[in-house]
Amino acid sequence: GGNELAQYALTSTAGKHIWHIGGTTNEKMRLTTTGLGIGTDTPLQRLHVKQGSTTTPAMVEALGAKSHIKFQHNAGSNYTTTIGSKTLGSGNVGLTFDTGHNGAVQRMTIDVDGKVGIGTDDPQSSLHILDTIPRIILEDSDSGKYLTRWWQSGNATVFDIDSASTGGSPYFMFKAGGTERLRITSGGNLRLGL
């Protein structure tokens, strides 16, 4: 034990506390008025971890099936979000995002194959949305805010073009090979072979 303790050194200078291993030239950690730096002597945040060219400078490990980091702001401890890894099944560890009251509801999952699930942690395709009325909204920010909604309600699949009622003459266009082949106008007319 005595030899191990002798390998560690702590020096303090100009408001900085520096931890060394194996003498005073092998710095491992530095605490400044800004924050704690690991691998850097000039931390830019409360915690700053830096490690050369490696792609994994830090690791968080939990002994359960879920290892998350929690984020909280000035709204209080009941309003937090978490992000981290979770065992989704045999051979399937994914990335999950939890929000809601105390970060208690899992909202989005990316599984081991890169499939994204919103409302489900078992996505069956590249994007899988599970909700009572799942919707996708496309909004054009620079053309009068035309809105298109696509949703599923029971056995009905609905495409709602210009649901914001911005005016003009919205239409639904089908293209094949870069050429328009079919159009449904706002008046309900069907035009083929354009």
Side-chain angles (χ1 to χ4, degrees), residues 86 88 92-98 106-112 114-123 126 128:
K86 178 183 176 183
L88 304 173
N92 189 357
V93 175
L95 180 66
T96 61
F97 301 81
D98 299 0
Q106 187 171 311
R107 304 294 187 181
M108 187 172 75
T109 300
I110 304 175
D111 75 3
V112 70
K115 296 174 184 174
V116 176
I118 299 176
T120 176
D121 63 2
D122 187 25
S126 297
H128 184 166

Short mmCIF file of all heavy atoms in Angstrom, two decimals, residues 86 88 92-98 106-112 114-123 126 128:
data_model
loop_
_atom_site.label_atom_id
_atom_site.label_comp_id
_atom_site.label_asym_id
_atom_site.label_seq_id
_atom_site.Cartn_x
_atom_site.Cartn_y
_atom_site.Cartn_z
N LYS A 86 -29.76 0.61 -23.53
CA LYS A 86 -30.72 -0.27 -22.89
C LYS A 86 -30.73 -1.60 -23.62
O LYS A 86 -30.67 -1.65 -24.85
CB LYS A 86 -32.12 0.35 -22.92
CG LYS A 86 -33.19 -0.53 -22.30
CD LYS A 86 -34.56 0.12 -22.42
CE LYS A 86 -35.65 -0.80 -21.89
NZ LYS A 86 -37.00 -0.20 -22.06
N LEU A 88 -32.53 -4.34 -25.30
CA LEU A 88 -33.84 -4.45 -25.93
C LEU A 88 -34.26 -5.89 -26.17
O LEU A 88 -35.42 -6.17 -26.45
CB LEU A 88 -33.85 -3.68 -27.26
CG LEU A 88 -33.46 -2.21 -27.17
CD1 LEU A 88 -33.35 -1.61 -28.56
CD2 LEU A 88 -34.46 -1.43 -26.34
N ASN A 92 -29.36 -7.43 -28.64
CA ASN A 92 -29.85 -6.14 -29.12
C ASN A 92 -29.76 -5.10 -28.02
O ASN A 92 -30.60 -5.05 -27.12
CB ASN A 92 -31.30 -6.28 -29.60
CG ASN A 92 -31.81 -5.04 -30.32
OD1 ASN A 92 -31.10 -4.03 -30.43
ND2 ASN A 92 -33.02 -5.10 -30.81
N VAL A 93 -28.72 -4.29 -28.06
CA VAL A 93 -28.58 -3.17 -27.13
C VAL A 93 -28.76 -1.89 -27.94
O VAL A 93 -28.06 -1.68 -28.93
CB VAL A 93 -27.21 -3.18 -26.44
CG1 VAL A 93 -27.05 -1.94 -25.57
CG2 VAL A 93 -27.05 -4.44 -25.59
N GLY A 94 -29.70 -1.06 -27.53
CA GLY A 94 -30.01 0.13 -28.30
C GLY A 94 -29.80 1.41 -27.51
O GLY A 94 -29.46 1.40 -26.33
N LEU A 95 -30.02 2.52 -28.20
CA LEU A 95 -29.95 3.85 -27.61
C LEU A 95 -31.38 4.33 -27.39
O LEU A 95 -32.19 4.31 -28.32
CB LEU A 95 -29.21 4.80 -28.54
CG LEU A 95 -29.03 6.24 -28.08
CD1 LEU A 95 -28.12 6.31 -26.86
CD2 LEU A 95 -28.46 7.08 -29.21
N THR A 96 -31.72 4.74 -26.16
CA THR A 96 -33.08 5.17 -25.87
C THR A 96 -33.08 6.60 -25.34
O THR A 96 -32.12 7.07 -24.73
CB THR A 96 -33.76 4.25 -24.83
OG1 THR A 96 -33.02 4.28 -23.60
CG2 THR A 96 -33.82 2.82 -25.34
N PHE A 97 -34.20 7.28 -25.61
CA PHE A 97 -34.41 8.66 -25.19
C PHE A 97 -35.70 8.70 -24.36
O PHE A 97 -36.76 8.33 -24.86
CB PHE A 97 -34.55 9.58 -26.40
CG PHE A 97 -33.37 9.57 -27.32
CD1 PHE A 97 -33.19 8.55 -28.26
CD2 PHE A 97 -32.41 10.58 -27.26
CE1 PHE A 97 -32.10 8.54 -29.11
CE2 PHE A 97 -31.32 10.57 -28.11
CZ PHE A 97 -31.16 9.54 -29.03
N ASP A 98 -35.60 9.14 -23.11
CA ASP A 98 -36.75 9.18 -22.21
C ASP A 98 -37.06 10.62 -21.84
O ASP A 98 -36.16 11.40 -21.52
CB ASP A 98 -36.47 8.38 -20.94
CG ASP A 98 -36.19 6.91 -21.20
OD1 ASP A 98 -36.20 6.50 -22.38
OD2 ASP A 98 -35.95 6.18 -20.24
N GLN A 106 -40.20 6.31 -22.07
CA GLN A 106 -39.31 6.10 -23.21
C GLN A 106 -40.02 6.55 -24.48
O GLN A 106 -41.09 6.05 -24.81
CB GLN A 106 -38.95 4.62 -23.31
CG GLN A 106 -37.89 4.33 -24.36
CD GLN A 106 -37.41 2.89 -24.27
OE1 GLN A 106 -37.08 2.42 -23.19
NE2 GLN A 106 -37.40 2.21 -25.39
N ARG A 107 -39.43 7.51 -25.19
CA ARG A 107 -40.07 8.10 -26.36
C ARG A 107 -39.50 7.61 -27.68
O ARG A 107 -40.23 7.46 -28.66
CB ARG A 107 -39.93 9.62 -26.30
CG ARG A 107 -40.48 10.27 -25.06
CD ARG A 107 -41.97 10.14 -24.94
NE ARG A 107 -42.46 10.91 -23.81
CZ ARG A 107 -43.73 10.98 -23.45
NH1 ARG A 107 -44.64 10.32 -24.12
NH2 ARG A 107 -44.09 11.70 -22.40
N MET A 108 -38.17 7.40 -27.73
CA MET A 108 -37.54 7.01 -28.99
C MET A 108 -36.43 6.02 -28.73
O MET A 108 -35.74 6.09 -27.72
CB MET A 108 -37.00 8.24 -29.72
CG MET A 108 -36.49 7.93 -31.12
SD MET A 108 -36.05 9.40 -32.08
CE MET A 108 -34.51 9.86 -31.30
N THR A 109 -36.27 5.09 -29.67
CA THR A 109 -35.27 4.04 -29.56
C THR A 109 -34.56 3.87 -30.90
O THR A 109 -35.19 3.94 -31.95
CB THR A 109 -35.94 2.70 -29.18
OG1 THR A 109 -36.61 2.84 -27.93
CG2 THR A 109 -34.92 1.58 -29.07
N ILE A 110 -33.25 3.68 -30.84
CA ILE A 110 -32.48 3.26 -32.02
C ILE A 110 -31.89 1.91 -31.67
O ILE A 110 -31.11 1.79 -30.72
CB ILE A 110 -31.37 4.26 -32.37
CG1 ILE A 110 -31.96 5.65 -32.58
CG2 ILE A 110 -30.62 3.80 -33.63
CD1 ILE A 110 -30.91 6.73 -32.80
N ASP A 111 -32.28 0.86 -32.41
CA ASP A 111 -31.84 -0.48 -32.03
C ASP A 111 -30.48 -0.81 -32.62
O ASP A 111 -29.84 0.01 -33.30
CB ASP A 111 -32.90 -1.53 -32.37
CG ASP A 111 -32.98 -1.86 -33.86
OD1 ASP A 111 -32.19 -1.33 -34.67
OD2 ASP A 111 -33.86 -2.67 -34.23
N VAL A 112 -30.01 -2.02 -32.38
CA VAL A 112 -28.66 -2.43 -32.79
C VAL A 112 -28.48 -2.38 -34.31
O VAL A 112 -27.36 -2.24 -34.80
CB VAL A 112 -28.35 -3.84 -32.23
CG1 VAL A 112 -29.17 -4.89 -32.94
CG2 VAL A 112 -26.86 -4.15 -32.30
N GLY A 114 -29.87 -0.05 -36.22
CA GLY A 114 -30.07 1.31 -36.69
C GLY A 114 -31.51 1.67 -36.98
O GLY A 114 -31.80 2.76 -37.46
N LYS A 115 -32.45 0.77 -36.68
CA LYS A 115 -33.86 1.07 -36.88
C LYS A 115 -34.33 2.02 -35.78
O LYS A 115 -33.97 1.86 -34.61
CB LYS A 115 -34.70 -0.21 -36.85
CG LYS A 115 -34.37 -1.17 -37.98
CD LYS A 115 -35.13 -2.48 -37.81
CE LYS A 115 -34.74 -3.47 -38.89
NZ LYS A 115 -35.36 -4.80 -38.65
N VAL A 116 -35.16 2.99 -36.17
CA VAL A 116 -35.64 4.01 -35.23
C VAL A 116 -37.09 3.73 -34.87
O VAL A 116 -37.95 3.59 -35.75
CB VAL A 116 -35.52 5.43 -35.83
CG1 VAL A 116 -36.10 6.47 -34.88
CG2 VAL A 116 -34.06 5.73 -36.16
N GLY A 117 -37.36 3.64 -33.57
CA GLY A 117 -38.72 3.46 -33.10
C GLY A 117 -39.17 4.66 -32.30
O GLY A 117 -38.49 5.08 -31.37
N ILE A 118 -40.31 5.24 -32.65
CA ILE A 118 -40.91 6.33 -31.88
C ILE A 118 -42.19 5.77 -31.27
O ILE A 118 -43.11 5.38 -31.99
CB ILE A 118 -41.22 7.55 -32.77
CG1 ILE A 118 -39.92 8.10 -33.38
CG2 ILE A 118 -41.94 8.64 -31.98
CD1 ILE A 118 -40.11 9.24 -34.35
N GLY A 119 -42.21 5.69 -29.94
CA GLY A 119 -43.33 5.08 -29.26
C GLY A 119 -43.22 3.57 -29.14
O GLY A 119 -44.12 2.92 -28.62
N THR A 120 -42.14 3.00 -29.64
CA THR A 120 -41.90 1.57 -29.54
C THR A 120 -40.42 1.31 -29.38
O THR A 120 -39.60 2.04 -29.95
CB THR A 120 -42.43 0.80 -30.77
OG1 THR A 120 -42.09 -0.58 -30.66
CG2 THR A 120 -41.83 1.34 -32.07
N ASP A 121 -40.06 0.30 -28.59
CA ASP A 121 -38.65 -0.07 -28.48
C ASP A 121 -38.34 -1.32 -29.28
O ASP A 121 -37.30 -1.94 -29.11
CB ASP A 121 -38.23 -0.25 -27.01
CG ASP A 121 -38.98 -1.37 -26.32
OD1 ASP A 121 -39.79 -2.05 -26.97
OD2 ASP A 121 -38.75 -1.58 -25.11
N ASP A 122 -39.26 -1.69 -30.20
CA ASP A 122 -39.07 -2.85 -31.07
C ASP A 122 -39.40 -2.46 -32.51
O ASP A 122 -40.33 -2.99 -33.12
CB ASP A 122 -39.97 -4.00 -30.61
CG ASP A 122 -39.70 -5.28 -31.39
OD1 ASP A 122 -38.57 -5.44 -31.91
OD2 ASP A 122 -40.62 -6.12 -31.46
N PRO A 123 -38.63 -1.50 -33.09
CA PRO A 123 -38.94 -1.05 -34.46
C PRO A 123 -38.75 -2.17 -35.48
O PRO A 123 -37.79 -2.91 -35.42
CB PRO A 123 -37.94 0.09 -34.68
CG PRO A 123 -36.82 -0.17 -33.72
CD PRO A 123 -37.45 -0.82 -32.53
N SER A 126 -36.97 0.82 -40.88
CA SER A 126 -36.03 1.92 -40.69
C SER A 126 -36.64 3.01 -39.80
O SER A 126 -35.94 3.61 -38.98
CB SER A 126 -35.63 2.53 -42.03
OG SER A 126 -34.95 1.57 -42.81
N HIS A 128 -40.27 3.39 -37.46
CA HIS A 128 -41.50 2.75 -36.99
C HIS A 128 -42.12 3.67 -35.93
O HIS A 128 -41.50 3.94 -34.91
CB HIS A 128 -41.16 1.38 -36.39
CG HIS A 128 -42.35 0.60 -35.95
ND1 HIS A 128 -42.28 -0.75 -35.65
CD2 HIS A 128 -43.66 0.93 -35.75
CE1 HIS A 128 -43.47 -1.19 -35.28
NE2 HIS A 128 -44.32 -0.19 -35.33
#
